[in-house]
Amino acid sequence: MKNDTKADAKASQGRHAADTQVQDTVQVDGQSAQPSDFPSAAPRKKRGRKALKVFGIILGSLLGLAVLAYAAGCFYFSDRFFPDTVIGEYDVSLKTSAEAEEVLQAALGDYGLSVEGQGLSFKLDSEEIGLTLDSEAIVAQALEGPRMWMWPLEMQEHHDLDSVLAASYDKATLLESVKEQVDSFNETATQPGDATVAYDEASRRFQVAPEVPGTALDPEAVAEVAGKAASTMERKATVASGELLKPPVLSDDPMLAASCEAANELLVADFTLVAGSAEAAIVGPDRISSWIVFDEDLNPSFDENLMIAWVDELAAGFNTIGTERTFTRADGKEVTVAGGTYGWSADRDTLLTIVKEGLESGQTGTVEIPVLQSADLYAGAGERDWAGYVDVDLSEQYARYYDDAGNVIWETAIITGKPNAEMATPTGVYYVTTKTGPTTLNTYESGRKEPKKTVVQYWMPFVGNVIGLHDAWWQPGFGGTMYRDGYGSHGCVNLPSAKAQELYGILPVGETVIVHW
């Protein structure tokens, strides 16, 4: 063995020597050069291969670690939520599915809902809502959303998983709880009003009056709003105008339009009731509309009782006989007087017939009010309704005859009845009932069975045929305080004979006589 080794060594040395001899001289640019003049290339190649090998080892290690870390992250987040993750208002960041389920179940026990709006405010807990929660299904659905394989990116994002939070509630339980609160609220709220048919004075026609919403709330609508909030476990439900109680009849109901059309067909008549040349009342759409009523099907018709009541009121207000009137005399004295027999008196029954027939025929124009008694002019209740008149002033003991223009065309001092209950001259507005002369007056003196007979030449009665203006030839004088100084009459107005003759000649039957203080 030793010999073989030595032989191999010698052979190797021989080959090395031969190689050395061949390479001893090298031509460089025509010049001879020795091999020792060039650096050796073999050591550089060995160092490069070693560096690449080290780099490959490091890179492979890093990649292996990265794959291992990525796989670990995928495994970690396979049943765990990413950071900054909420389901509704509940934070489930980095929680496992089991832990997240516990969070949701705890939230269900603590849940409360505030219902507010339109003046209503109350709170409900989960039991009053009948709220239940399938936390396992919710969490399972929530975990399907985030991309587990993209966990390095997902960790940088905010995850709001509200859409998967779906609770269930018992509709009957919730409605019962809400209804109790809403019914209590509605006790003091304004109830809604139906759309209806109403008369419009501007257009003088019936139109559809829109419904009035009021402030009362619909329990079912409020329960629906509350249920929607509870189903996503929101803590506040806002009640808006859409939850107001709606009236049964709305303005778009076709029955209302048909009713308006039918009612307007009853408004054809339009006529004016007059007294003399003065307007007393108008029977037109404004008035007629107040007599129209609607049945349960909104069919219109005249209510005769309402019409009769109006005619009675018109007749009563039209009648001025005996009513109190106030006027200013031509000389400026203001007089208020009541009683008497002069004035207007409507024929009520005939008036009612005229109104009824006018409505049926569509009467227009002017129609004279039928009367039982008329006056010089019509100005309404409480106003002067005479033209010329004889003014008997008891306080002045003086009489004047005014013509239609207010001019005094006759005047004189007078003596009126004694100021006691039996003989005082009655006040009021009267009219001359007749004129006669000569006439015998019968007066009854106290204690006498037979009347005292007195003949007068000029008899102008105004209270029946009992009290009137006449000549008093027996009186020693007139005016002043004579009527209460023993010279007073039995109620008549005593005149000087010459003045009585003058008045008799110019005073027509039916002329107004006003007696006042």
Side-chain angles (χ1 to χ4, degrees):
M1 290 293 293
K2 292 182 180 179
N3 293 332
D4 292 340
T5 302
K6 290 180 179 179
D8 290 339
K10 288 180 178 181
S12 176
Q13 290 175 354
R15 287 193 300 270
H16 181 70
D19 291 338
T20 303
Q21 291 176 355
V22 173
Q23 297 177 2
D24 282 342
T25 302
V26 179
Q27 296 292 322
V28 179
D29 294 335
Q31 302 291 328
S32 296
Q34 299 297 320
S36 58
D37 295 333
F38 297 93
S40 175
R44 176 181 292 179
K45 290 180 180 179
K46 290 182 179 181
R47 285 196 300 271
R49 284 196 297 269
K50 186 176 181 180
L52 288 174
K53 183 177 181 180
V54 172
F55 176 75
I57 293 172
I58 294 173
L59 180 60
S61 300
L62 292 176
L63 288 174
L65 290 174
V67 170
L68 182 62
Y70 174 75
C74 291
F75 177 78
Y76 182 79
F77 288 112
S78 64
D79 187 44
R80 192 179 297 272
F81 289 95
F82 292 114
D84 197 12
T85 299
V86 293
I87 300 177
E89 64 179 56
Y90 309 107
D91 190 355
V92 293
S93 300
L94 299 177
K95 294 188 182 298
T96 64
S97 58
E99 292 170 341
E101 289 174 20
E102 292 177 359
V103 169
L104 294 181
Q105 287 301 323
L108 180 64
D110 295 335
Y111 179 74
L113 176 65
S114 294
V115 182
E116 299 179 1
Q118 301 296 311
L120 180 70
S121 179
F122 64 92
K123 294 183 178 181
L124 299 173
D125 59 29
S126 57
E127 291 185 4
E128 292 171 311
I129 299 171
L131 196 66
T132 58
L133 196 66
D134 188 346
S135 57
E136 183 178 354
I138 292 172
V139 170
Q141 185 179 357
L143 285 172
E144 290 176 0
R147 295 169 295 174
M148 175 185 68
W149 306 108
M150 299 292 291
W151 66 264
L153 297 178
E154 294 287 358
M155 288 185 64
Q156 311 302 316
E157 302 293 333
H158 170 70
H159 301 279
D160 192 338
L161 306 181
D162 289 355
S163 60
V164 303
L165 183 58
S168 300
Y169 62 92
D170 186 281
K171 290 186 177 181
T173 300
L174 176 59
L175 180 58
E176 182 180 356
S177 300
V178 169
K179 192 173 186 302
E180 181 180 355
Q181 296 289 339
V182 173
D183 286 349
S184 176
F185 172 82
N186 285 346
E187 289 178 359
T188 57
T190 302
Q191 295 300 313
D194 286 339
T196 186
V197 175
Y199 181 74
D200 178 58
E201 292 185 359
S203 64
R204 304 184 78 197
R205 295 181 64 80
F206 281 96
Q207 296 181 351
V208 176
E211 62 275 9
V212 180
T215 59
L217 291 163
D218 183 348
E220 293 186 358
V222 175
E224 185 176 347
V225 170
K228 185 177 180 181
S231 65
T232 55
M233 296 187 70
E234 296 178 32
R235 294 191 175 271
K236 182 178 180 181
T238 300
V239 178
S241 58
E243 285 67 67
L244 291 172
L245 196 61
K246 295 177 177 59
V249 182
L250 303 179
S251 57
D252 58 358
D253 191 322
M255 184 183 295
L256 295 177
S259 180
C260 282
E261 183 177 354
N264 287 327
E265 292 177 357
L266 302 178
L267 301 178
V268 179
D270 192 358
F271 59 95
T272 302
L273 294 170
V274 297
S277 59
E279 176 185 302
I282 296 177
V283 181
D286 289 352
R287 178 61 57 193
I288 298 171
S289 65
S290 67
W291 304 333
I292 295 176
V293 293
F294 299 85
D295 63 18
E296 59 182 8
D297 296 322
L298 295 180
N299 296 312
S301 63
F302 287 118
D303 186 324
E304 188 169 328
N305 291 328
L306 293 176
M307 188 189 310
I308 291 173
W310 180 80
V311 170
D312 288 343
E313 183 180 359
L314 174 63
F318 178 82
N319 296 342
T320 60
I321 297 173
T323 62
E324 183 178 278
R325 286 99 140 180
T326 298
F327 68 100
T328 301
R329 203 166 62 185
D331 62 0
K333 182 176 181 177
E334 186 174 283
V335 177
T336 297
V337 62
T341 57
Y342 174 88
W344 291 97
S345 178
D347 182 346
R348 179 262 184 197
D349 293 339
T350 304
L351 176 60
L352 178 59
T353 300
I354 287 175
V355 171
K356 287 182 178 180
E357 292 178 349
L359 294 179
E360 294 176 0
S361 64
Q363 176 74 54
T364 59
T366 59
V367 176
E368 194 78 27
I369 289 183
V371 297
L372 301 174
Q373 179 177 305
S374 63
D376 293 338
L377 52 92
Y378 181 78
E383 300 297 329
R384 173 176 173 169
D385 53 4
W386 59 87
Y389 70 103
V390 176
D391 183 274
V392 178
D393 193 324
L394 300 177
S395 62
E396 295 179 356
Q397 288 293 291
Y398 205 83
R400 301 173 180 85
Y401 185 12
Y402 292 95
D403 64 13
D404 293 353
N407 301 312
V408 177
I409 58 175
W410 174 92
E411 60 183 318
T412 185
I414 58 174
I415 291 178
T416 58
K418 295 177 182 178
N420 59 49
E422 295 179 355
M423 299 183 184
T425 302
T427 59
V429 183
Y430 303 91
Y431 61 93
V432 177
T433 59
T434 187
K435 288 197 309 180
T436 58
T439 297
T440 299
L441 304 180
N442 296 316
T443 55
Y444 290 85
E445 298 289 348
S446 178
R448 294 182 57 175
K449 294 182 179 180
E450 296 296 326
K452 178 182 178 181
K453 298 183 180 293
T454 304
V455 177
V456 297
Q457 300 301 311
Y458 309 103
W459 175 235
M460 297 163 279
F462 56 84
V463 179
N465 197 38
V466 179
I467 295 176
L469 297 143
H470 64 80
D471 53 300
W473 44 266
W474 59 89
Q475 294 286 16
F478 296 88
T481 60
M482 294 184 68
Y483 77 104
R484 64 178 186 226
D485 293 339
Y487 298 96
S489 70
H490 290 75
C492 287
V493 179
N494 291 180
L495 308 175
S497 295
K499 287 295 182 179
Q501 182 182 9
E502 290 179 10
L503 182 62
Y504 193 87
I506 60 175
L507 185 67
V509 174
E511 188 68 294
T512 307
V513 177
I514 302 177
V515 182
H516 64 88
W517 286 95

